[in-house]
Amino acid sequence: MPESMPDTTPYPLLRELSGELGWGLAMVRAVVLQAAHPQIAAALMDDSTFLTHPWRRLHNTMVSLQRLFDERSEVREREVARLNRMHARITGVGADGAGFTAMDPEARAWVHATLFESTVAMRRNSTRPLDWAAQQQLYAEFRLLLAAFGDDPAALPEQLPHFWPYYERMLSERLEHSAAVDSVLHRLLDTVPPPPLLRSQRSAWVAVRSIAGPIAAHITIASLPPTFRDRVRINSTVLSDVLMVGAYQGTGLAALCLPSVTSPWALADLLDAEDDQQPVAAVFGALLRGASALTSVVRTVRPNAAATATAATARPGREAAAWPAERFFTQVLDQTGDGTLGWPDLASLAREVACRLDLDAEPESAVYAAFHDWWQELSTALDADGDGVITMQQYVDGASTLPTPALVNLADVLFDATDSEHSGTISPEEYHRLLHTGFSHQLATTPDGDLTRAAFTTEFLHFMAGHRPDPAWEQLTADS
């Protein structure tokens, strides 16, 4: 019998271009354009952990892309199925009273359209434009990817020449200036926390970010299509244009000279470092402190800028609070950062667990159901006014008397999901998979290296009830 041929990725050009440093700029640009679509804007604002946990979101996105572009068809198909299940759960009612769903066909096609056009713009702005044949190939790959998700590829025009009129119509007629657009352009870029590798350099990070955040916003705005800027009334200045040209050409030069060092995949591996005391962390910390010193003159002239940036990132209770229940509420439960606890917060935790453990449909559903049962238990006990959310004060007042049956069941479900070998204990490797969030983890195992179900449940209950902080479980919900 002839040997079976190995699989090859059906997205070779897309995988190649997504490995360039400038693709990070293209991704931010695309997210702004996506956030202007009414369906996507509503979903982002209702499920806004991308603002409170950007590094975790980046890590998950990079892992997902690696799976989607994998040469093995079973890996690609498994990831597509996982993403479809995740998006099917993102539904709700927006601030305007209109319903939204992440499975909306037009919105899903628009995501692919913005990624394609932003990738083309990335190369054009970096003075290495794609020729017509490459653009056609890239467009065909995006339509193929859209079909792989089960969507009708006809949602995007079949031929590339017909794509551009469709794109202009979307920009000028369908998109809106939304709170989600402003959140990406300003709140996200101005308040992004330090990556895990640089957590020990928080003060230097805040100082640099007070300058770098507005610059990043200027670069993104200048790169947006003029039709879109006119539609949403966002102006680009001459300074913005200069900064944008420098940023794109700089990343293009870096991609040519140091492709293996500056690719998003290489940078993600660097940020994936688990110990902020490593030599590489010390080097980046020294560079960050140097950059911080350079901003001192600007901060002297504009003293309120750094103070505003610092205040914007400092969520109440982020540092050790005198009241453990307050600290637990802020750091663990309030995933969306809006000051209240609702189902979207616990759904975010369920989604994070399912993603990092790469669960199949059945155990994933069990995890979501267990978190939902706990939400019902919490809301029955604490949501006295019946408004569908729990405030910090409501939680603090009732934390000591909370019921626990649903929480015990959640511990059992998580143990079964993590114990992939069905050994009856969780090994350090399995525990690592559960706790490795966004680029950092911290193990807290029993002396023999494994956790029994009873030991796992005890630690989990103490932490999730807010009785005491636990470094390991805090990694589950860190702002990495």
Side-chain angles (χ1 to χ4, degrees):
M1 295 180 61
E3 294 184 5
S4 59
M5 296 294 291
D7 287 341
T8 57
T9 178
Y11 319 109
L13 184 56
L14 178 52
R15 183 169 67 174
E16 175 188 340
L17 293 173
S18 66
E20 294 186 4
L21 182 60
W23 211 60
L25 298 173
M27 285 282 286
V28 175
R29 179 184 187 275
V31 169
V32 173
L33 293 168
Q34 293 163 21
H37 189 285
Q39 287 280 321
I40 300 174
L44 285 175
M45 297 312 295
D46 188 69
D47 179 39
S48 57
T49 58
F50 81 101
L51 293 173
T52 51
H53 302 286
W55 298 109
R56 189 174 75 191
R57 187 69 171 264
L58 171 63
H59 173 261
N60 292 345
T61 299
M62 298 299 286
V63 170
S64 182
L65 287 174
Q66 287 175 324
R67 294 170 180 168
L68 287 174
F69 300 156
D70 198 279
E71 294 185 348
R72 295 163 294 178
S73 58
E74 64 272 18
V75 174
R76 299 193 301 269
E77 292 166 3
R78 180 185 178 90
E79 182 62 11
V80 163
R82 186 189 71 81
L83 290 173
N84 276 339
R85 293 195 304 269
M86 180 186 75
H87 289 141
R89 291 186 171 95
I90 301 177
T91 61
V93 178
D96 60 355
F100 67 84
T101 171
M103 296 299 286
D104 179 74
E106 181 191 74
R108 284 160 69 89
W110 180 242
V111 169
H112 288 74
T114 59
L115 288 172
F116 164 72
E117 189 271 341
S118 291
T119 305
V120 172
M122 171 195 77
R123 276 303 201 93
R124 182 180 65 249
N125 291 333
S126 63
T127 67
R128 297 177 301 134
L130 297 173
D131 61 28
W132 183 249
Q135 290 187 40
Q136 287 183 308
Q137 178 185 340
L138 182 64
Y139 184 63
E141 290 181 11
F142 269 108
R143 293 187 78 247
L144 186 61
L145 184 60
L146 182 64
F149 276 94
D151 293 284
D152 184 357
L156 293 177
E158 182 176 358
Q159 300 298 325
L160 181 55
H162 299 150
F163 169 81
W164 299 111
Y166 149 82
Y167 198 77
E168 282 294 315
R169 283 196 305 273
M170 289 292 293
L171 293 176
S172 61
E173 300 174 10
R174 190 72 176 96
L175 303 189
E176 302 172 353
H177 192 158
S178 65
V181 171
D182 290 334
S183 292
V184 176
L185 283 176
H186 303 295
R187 183 179 167 193
L188 175 61
L189 296 176
D190 288 350
T191 65
V192 60
L197 186 65
L198 298 174
R199 279 197 189 120
S200 62
Q201 310 295 332
R202 184 174 294 272
S203 296
W205 175 268
V206 170
V208 171
R209 187 191 56 205
S210 67
I211 305 300
I215 289 176
H218 277 291
I219 291 170
T220 303
I221 289 171
S223 71
L224 294 170
T227 302
F228 174 76
R229 293 203 303 264
D230 291 342
R231 168 73 173 173
V232 301
R233 294 184 174 87
I234 296 177
N235 296 321
S236 176
T237 65
V238 174
L239 175 61
S240 300
D241 295 338
V242 171
L243 290 171
M244 186 270 289
V245 170
Y248 274 92
Q249 292 188 3
T251 56
L253 182 62
L256 287 174
C257 299
L258 300 168
S260 62
V261 176
T262 60
S263 76
W265 315 106
L267 292 178
D269 288 341
L270 176 62
L271 290 173
D272 203 18
E274 298 164 357
D275 182 2
D276 65 4
Q277 302 303 316
Q278 291 182 21
V280 67
V283 171
F284 271 83
L287 291 174
L288 190 63
R289 287 192 298 274
S292 173
L294 291 177
T295 66
S296 61
V297 174
V298 179
R299 298 203 313 276
T300 300
V301 177
R302 297 169 54 231
N304 291 332
T308 301
T310 302
T313 61
R315 293 171 58 190
R318 181 57 66 186
E319 300 303 326
W323 218 341
E326 290 179 333
R327 180 169 181 261
F328 175 77
F329 184 94
T330 302
Q331 293 192 9
V332 178
L333 296 180
D334 183 14
Q335 284 288 293
T336 58
D338 63 358
T340 65
L341 169 63
W343 167 238
D345 297 289
L346 297 192
S348 172
L349 292 180
R351 183 165 58 248
E352 182 62 23
V353 169
C355 177
R356 79 181 60 177
L357 296 181
D358 192 21
L359 297 178
D360 288 325
E362 186 174 347
E364 180 185 280
S365 295
V367 167
Y368 272 91
F371 269 104
H372 192 263
D373 288 345
W374 187 44
W375 162 244
Q376 291 183 317
E377 187 175 73
L378 284 171
S379 59
T380 298
L382 301 180
D383 184 15
D385 52 9
D387 62 354
V389 296
I390 298 170
T391 66
M392 179 187 290
Q393 193 60 51
Q394 286 174 326
Y395 180 82
V396 169
D397 290 344
S400 60
T401 59
L402 284 176
T404 59
L407 195 57
V408 172
N409 178 63
L410 176 58
D412 276 337
V413 170
L414 288 180
F415 184 92
D416 291 336
T418 308
D419 181 20
S420 57
E421 298 179 355
H422 308 291
S423 63
T425 61
I426 293 179
S427 68
E429 292 76 19
E430 290 170 329
Y431 201 53
H432 172 274
R433 288 185 66 202
L434 179 63
L435 299 179
H436 184 64
T437 303
F439 318 118
S440 109
H441 83 287
Q442 194 169 352
L443 295 179
T445 59
T446 54
D448 63 0
D450 291 339
L451 278 175
T452 64
R453 183 183 294 271
F456 177 89
T457 300
T458 298
E459 290 302 313
F460 180 76
L461 289 178
H462 277 296
F463 178 66
M464 294 302 280
H467 294 160
R468 65 168 183 259
D470 183 312
W473 281 102
E474 281 195 58
Q475 294 305 315
L476 180 69
T477 55
D479 42 343
S480 49

